[in-house]
Amino acid sequence: MTASFSDQLLALARPNLAWVCEQLDLFDSLVPAGVVSFDRDEPSVTRSGITLRAHVIGTYALDGTWMWAWANESYRDSAIAVRSRELRELGERAGVPELTEPMPDLNHFPDPRLAADHLLLMCMGLLDARGGVICAVNERGRLFMVVDDPAVPRAEPRVPRLTTALRNGAALLPGPALKPVQGWFARHGIEPVYGPGRVEGVLDGGDRVVVTLGGEGVVGVEVTGDGGGAPRCATAGEQELRGARLSPDAPHRTFPRPLLAVAAREMAFSILRTRAMVQYADDHLGFVGRPPLWDEQAGELRFPDGGLTARRLGSYDTEAGWFRWAPGTEDIRERLREAAGLGPEEAEILPELSGEQLDLTVYGPREAVAVALARTAANVAGHTFTSLGSHFFAVTDERLADTGITDLDAAVTDIRGGASWLQGLVEQETRDETMRSLAQSYFERLGLQVWHYGQPDFVSGVMGMYEVRVYFAPDGTITQVTPGVLMGAPM
């Protein structure tokens, strides 16, 4: 397998790439990044309080696989998957394997997550969509949607936007730059004129666009007005949404940054602790896979051959949209407040630390908020987190001593698990710091050396002759976690 999409898909998608970049730039400026939720019945997506008609095209899982919405039991029979079915029909007519296979494997790409992002852009072009949205779905990965609401205008030429779009569209996927440039001109109704290493055309207002090609890329874009003066599109006003539905009651609250910083340090190690507890129950308490029973009077989680001392931590209901700390957890919440460096007055105004019922509907990923709060609090208090359905517990049994790293594969599981719970809670501007903290704190907690070999997209935890490598995308997202020989190939 090669690290590319099929020739059939590239042939269909390349002509659209420059105008897709232009359209997405406009969309992101009109519908700013923020908390995202979606309604499968309407179907729609809401971002930053703006609700627009949208459809799910697919999901990306942590194992590097993409699943089309038409193949996903959660979406395939709902209205929200209708555009995905259009893609499958197009794939059948044009013989495009990626569009007709239910679960394309993206692991042959150097960065599977980035390949999923590129797949969204290609689908935007194939469906003539007006925007694209990516939504983190708790631990299950990421969900990709196309927006086709007429409230979002078609992108009109603006100098900075078109210049960036023509360059990026040509560089986005392998192949000659001419096709996306031609596609951009066609999109704007321009009949291009060709010269040596250049393509040019005149916009409706008289502005001239000259694109210079070099190798397989765009090396220059020049926009001039009629007669060589300043272009009219440089001073044109920005476009606006037309009749979009504003949703003041839509999810709008982000996870507080001080608590997020603590969660980043604690989540992966907390998962290790939970895994060690399960192993202890398996070795000593006759655990065979069936959940333990909670003995309220004894304060124990009861397994077939004994129990573990524990405390109620809290409970949640994602359908009704609430989380609540259990009575008597003031000391645990106090430890979390201290770990976040918050004074009593600061903590008092945070609903996440109060003893009152927390409204989860104001957040995007509801379950992730509840789990992050409870798991982080248990860990900073020195306890082991576990859950029975929607009820959380802090296991306080002294027989569960802190454990070290047991094998590299387990470390991979811990880091991936921690990252998957946090990814939907992290804002763009803090993502890199948060995800690096998650990996480095885990390594440091276990006494591993932290190396990066001078590479900004890479950090590893070294144990003897072996290491666990964590790779980061440019936006800070953890894209891959692999065990391997020190400075060698993956195991």
Side-chain angles (χ1 to χ4, degrees), residues 438-452:
L438 184 146
Q440 292 183 195
S441 297
Y442 179 84
F443 293 145
E444 292 168 355
R445 193 78 164 262
L446 294 172
L448 276 62
Q449 291 181 289
V450 179
W451 288 9
H452 56 78

Side-chain angles (χ1 to χ4, degrees), residues 130-150:
R130 303 192 181 203
V133 175
I134 302 174
C135 178
V137 190
N138 295 340
E139 79 283 8
R140 293 176 288 278
R142 306 160 78 224
L143 178 143
F144 294 75
M145 304 184 74
V146 292
V147 175
D148 52 11
D149 196 310

Side-chain angles (χ1 to χ4, degrees), residues 229-401:
R232 294 179 60 183
C233 67
T235 57
E238 186 54 280
Q239 297 173 261
E240 298 179 352
L241 293 172
R242 300 186 294 257
R245 177 153 51 97
L246 301 181
S247 309
D249 58 343
H252 60 272
R253 182 171 174 80
T254 56
F255 201 77
R257 290 190 181 182
L259 301 185
L260 181 62
V262 183
R265 299 194 299 266
E266 303 291 336
M267 287 290 283
F269 191 76
S270 173
I271 292 172
L272 179 150
R273 270 181 164 159
T274 300
R275 186 163 42 77
M277 180 205 75
V278 173
Q279 186 61 55
Y280 180 89
D282 184 57
D283 293 340
H284 303 286
L285 302 176
F287 176 58
V288 291
R290 297 182 63 181
L293 299 176
W294 171 241
D295 186 331
E296 184 77 46
Q297 186 173 0
E300 286 188 338
L301 291 168
R302 300 295 304 174
F303 293 88
D305 296 337
L308 291 173
T309 305
R311 299 170 54 181
R312 280 191 179 273
L313 192 56
S315 57
Y316 73 102
D317 186 324
T318 56
E319 292 298 322
W322 57 264
F323 165 79
R324 186 158 193 166
W325 296 100
T329 55
E330 291 83 2
D331 60 323
I332 292 178
R333 284 181 277 135
E334 177 69 10
R335 293 288 296 275
L336 178 53
R337 178 190 69 77
E338 293 173 352
L342 297 171
E345 298 81 9
E346 295 173 288
E348 189 174 327
I349 64 174
L350 284 181
E352 292 84 359
L353 294 182
S354 76
E356 301 299 318
Q357 184 166 288
L358 179 66
D359 182 7
L360 294 179
T361 63
V362 301
Y363 304 87
R366 300 178 184 181
E367 186 180 12
V369 170
V371 170
L373 282 172
R375 184 178 278 282
T376 301
N379 208 60
V380 296
H383 307 317
T384 299
F385 171 88
T386 193
S387 63
L388 295 177
S390 60
H391 297 274
F392 299 143
F393 296 88
V395 182
T396 59
D397 202 295
E398 295 181 356
R399 290 171 293 176
L400 299 182

Side-chain angles (χ1 to χ4, degrees), residues 5-51:
F5 294 101
S6 69
D7 291 341
Q8 298 93 318
L9 180 56
L10 292 175
L12 280 180
R14 281 195 65 77
N16 303 320
L17 294 179
W19 73 256
V20 164
C21 290
E22 183 179 43
Q23 183 66 36
L24 189 60
D25 188 3
L26 173 63
F27 176 78
D28 287 339
S29 70
L30 298 177
V31 188
V35 176
V36 178
S37 63
F38 64 96
D39 185 327
R40 74 178 64 202
D41 297 320
E42 191 171 358
S44 65
V45 66
T46 300
R47 187 166 81 174
S48 297
I50 300 171
T51 299

